Amino acid sequence: MRIIPLVTCVTMTLSILACTNKQDQAQLATETFAPRIWQENLVVDGEIIAANKTPLTVPGQGWDSRTLIEMIPEGSLVKKDQVIARFDAPKSRMELSQAELELLRKELAAESILASDTSSRSTLAADSAKVQTDLLLSERYANADLAIFSRNKILDELQDSGFLKNKRTYLDWKTGQVQARSAAEQAVLSSQKESVNLNASQHKKNLDALELMAPHDGVFLLQASWDGAKPQVGSSFRPREEFGSLPDLDQLVANFNIEEGRTFGLKVGLPVKVRLAGSGQEIELSITKVGNSASVTSRDSPVKFISFEAAFKKEQAQSLALKPGQALLGTVSLINQSKAMTVPNIALVQDGPNFATYVKDGDQLKRQTVVLGQRGPVRSEIKSGISQGNQIVLLPEVKDKEKTKDTHS
């Protein structure tokens, strides 16, 4: 068997590794760093909404529930004072009937108190008249010559004047008591009637407010609840509960929601081409508002979205008969430059707050720290760090993984 010297083996191994390394570097995808056209668009679904809208609440006051018995279809055009929905309040209707019955009872009780007062005062007036007559008779006999009358006659007709005076005082006191008791009973009854009247008046107001009317012209939209359900005929509602809204058709905007991670370069003033669903009509707009904070739009997904808007002109909305809720597709022109020094985002390696790229120089790969300018969803502008004509490695993460592996080895 032939023995190969150790030096020869080492030389052969290094040659193989060098060839493998050269082949790996030759297979790396690169791009020449040079000025080029840079255009990036953002395509996102949206819908038309009103910049201002009037909330519509269930009519009525108090806490008695009411049932929706009729409403116009969602999305209908309405005029001012047009009836949008009708409700019924069976509980208020029943309690109003009970209140009216109670009022009738109070009226009968008042008549009974008045009749009892009249009867008692009449009886006391008759007794007072009799006592007064007896007292006059007693006073007449008090100064007369009793010798001309028989003793029995005098005893029958003559009563003690002191007793009659006391009785007259008692009857006067009792008359006052009857009046005071009657006044007290009338006051209690009046207070009870006032309370029942107030209750009945409240229920009458509730029954008079069973129609929801449009405060101005607009498009009727229903308000979805926390679970996404919208009001339906037969559902129960509380007074002042949010029922829907009436957008102002004079101020319509295209509204879009985009994932927070796709908002590179999004700002007010950028052009937006809006394509209306159905008709395919395209309208040139510009971004008028960008949301300051991101929020989730669904309970089932933790992804946060940022909203932005592009306002329509009043003439555009009227000529195209635009309505809130109409779907559309928006194409935002984020970047449109004829000559820009950029690299693909996949060529960037982030190291904390800094970024770098790998530049291929012959058989060597050099890591170059770069300063970024404007960023886009696909490419980013390079301010400094590399020179025109450099070959930029497009997948530097492969090189970083190999470097990490060699370090751990």
Side-chain angles (χ1 to χ4, degrees):
M1 182 177 66
R2 185 180 179 184
I3 299 176
I4 301 175
L6 179 60
V7 176
T8 305
C9 291
V10 173
T11 304
M12 292 174 63
T13 303
L14 293 176
S15 298
I16 293 173
L17 291 175
C19 292
T20 304
N21 189 35
K22 289 181 180 179
Q23 290 177 357
D24 291 342
Q25 291 184 9
Q27 293 175 357
L28 288 176
T30 62
E31 177 182 285
T32 302
F33 184 62
R36 66 185 69 244
I37 296 175
W38 187 21
Q39 292 181 338
E40 294 205 30
N41 296 325
L42 180 66
V43 180
V44 60
D45 294 322
E47 66 172 344
I48 297 175
I49 65 171
N52 298 312
K53 61 182 180 180
T54 302
L56 300 174
T57 58
V58 177
Q61 298 178 350
W63 299 99
D64 291 343
S65 63
R66 48 200 58 218
T67 304
L68 178 63
I69 59 175
E70 182 184 358
M71 70 174 175
I72 63 176
E74 184 179 16
S76 300
L77 290 171
V78 298
K79 298 293 183 180
K80 182 180 179 181
D81 296 331
Q82 179 181 342
V83 176
I84 295 176
R86 288 187 173 90
F87 300 83
D88 188 22
K91 184 177 180 181
S92 292
R93 204 178 298 280
M94 178 192 67
E95 293 187 355
L96 175 60
S97 178
Q98 292 177 346
E100 290 175 341
L101 179 61
E102 187 65 21
L103 281 175
L104 182 59
R105 290 175 178 172
K106 299 301 180 185
E107 292 291 342
L108 292 176
E111 293 294 331
S112 176
I113 292 173
L114 181 62
S116 176
D117 177 71
T118 302
S119 176
S120 297
R121 293 177 66 177
S122 297
T123 301
L124 290 173
D127 290 344
S128 295
K130 184 177 183 305
V131 169
Q132 185 66 24
T133 301
D134 292 342
L135 182 58
L136 290 175
L137 182 63
S138 177
E139 290 175 346
R140 185 181 66 181
Y141 278 105
N143 299 321
D145 185 5
L146 299 180
I148 62 175
F149 298 101
S150 65
R151 186 175 183 82
N152 290 335
K153 181 176 178 62
I154 294 173
L155 291 175
D156 289 339
E157 304 229 1
L158 187 60
Q159 296 187 37
D160 183 75
S161 60
F163 167 75
L164 292 174
K165 290 180 180 179
N166 289 337
K167 188 174 182 180
R168 183 178 62 182
T169 302
Y170 166 74
L171 291 174
D172 291 341
W173 171 82
K174 192 171 183 180
T175 300
Q177 290 298 306
V178 169
Q179 293 176 345
R181 183 175 67 250
S182 177
E185 290 176 348
Q186 290 283 5
V188 171
L189 196 59
S190 177
S191 176
Q192 292 175 346
K193 285 174 61 178
E194 184 178 354
S195 177
V196 176
N197 265 321
L198 183 62
N199 190 27
S201 176
Q202 182 63 48
H203 291 304
K204 285 180 180 178
K205 288 181 179 179
N206 284 341
L207 293 175
D208 290 339
L210 294 177
E211 292 184 344
L212 177 60
M213 306 183 74
H216 56 77
D217 296 352
V219 176
F220 170 55
L221 296 178
L222 291 171
Q223 176 66 36
S225 61
W226 62 271
D227 59 354
K230 293 185 177 182
Q232 296 181 350
V233 173
S235 301
S236 296
F237 300 89
R238 295 287 184 185
R240 301 183 302 277
E241 183 177 346
E242 192 168 359
F243 182 76
S245 61
L246 200 62
D248 185 359
L249 298 182
D250 291 337
Q251 300 181 25
L252 298 181
V253 298
N255 179 260
F256 305 92
N257 288 312
I258 181 174
E259 297 90 337
E260 188 178 16
R262 297 177 58 200
T263 57
F264 280 126
L266 195 63
K267 61 183 179 180
V268 173
L270 290 178
V272 185
K273 182 180 290 185
V274 172
R275 183 181 180 88
L276 301 177
S279 66
Q281 179 75 36
E282 291 188 346
I283 307 172
E284 298 288 345
L285 303 175
S286 59
I287 296 179
T288 54
K289 180 181 178 181
V290 177
N292 295 324
S293 59
S295 60
V296 296
T297 58
S298 172
R299 300 178 62 189
D300 301 327
S301 173
V303 179
K304 292 186 177 182
F305 291 78
I306 288 180
S307 65
F308 65 95
E309 297 176 355
F312 292 97
K313 294 181 180 179
K314 184 177 179 180
E315 297 77 13
Q316 291 175 324
Q318 292 177 348
S319 62
L320 297 173
L322 301 180
K323 294 194 303 183
Q326 189 172 352
L328 47 81
L329 181 68
T331 303
V332 182
S333 179
L334 294 175
I335 300 168
N336 187 9
Q337 297 183 22
S338 58
K339 290 184 178 181
M341 303 297 290
T342 63
V343 297
N345 289 338
I346 58 174
L348 294 173
V349 177
Q350 187 170 5
D351 183 11
N354 300 318
F355 289 86
T357 61
Y358 277 96
V359 176
K360 185 178 180 182
D361 185 9
D363 295 337
Q364 301 294 322
L365 294 182
K366 297 180 179 180
R367 182 184 175 101
Q368 297 288 118
T369 301
V370 295
V371 177
L372 300 183
Q374 185 177 358
R375 301 207 63 186
V378 179
R379 303 182 70 90
S380 294
E381 182 183 14
I382 302 297
K383 291 292 188 180
S384 62
I386 52 179
S387 302
Q388 182 174 338
N390 287 158
Q391 295 297 312
I392 309 301
V393 178
L394 298 183
L395 296 173
E397 66 273 9
V398 176
K399 181 65 179 175
D400 273 7
K401 289 179 180 178
E402 291 176 354
K403 183 178 179 181
T404 303
K405 183 178 179 181
D406 291 343
T407 302
H408 287 302
S409 298

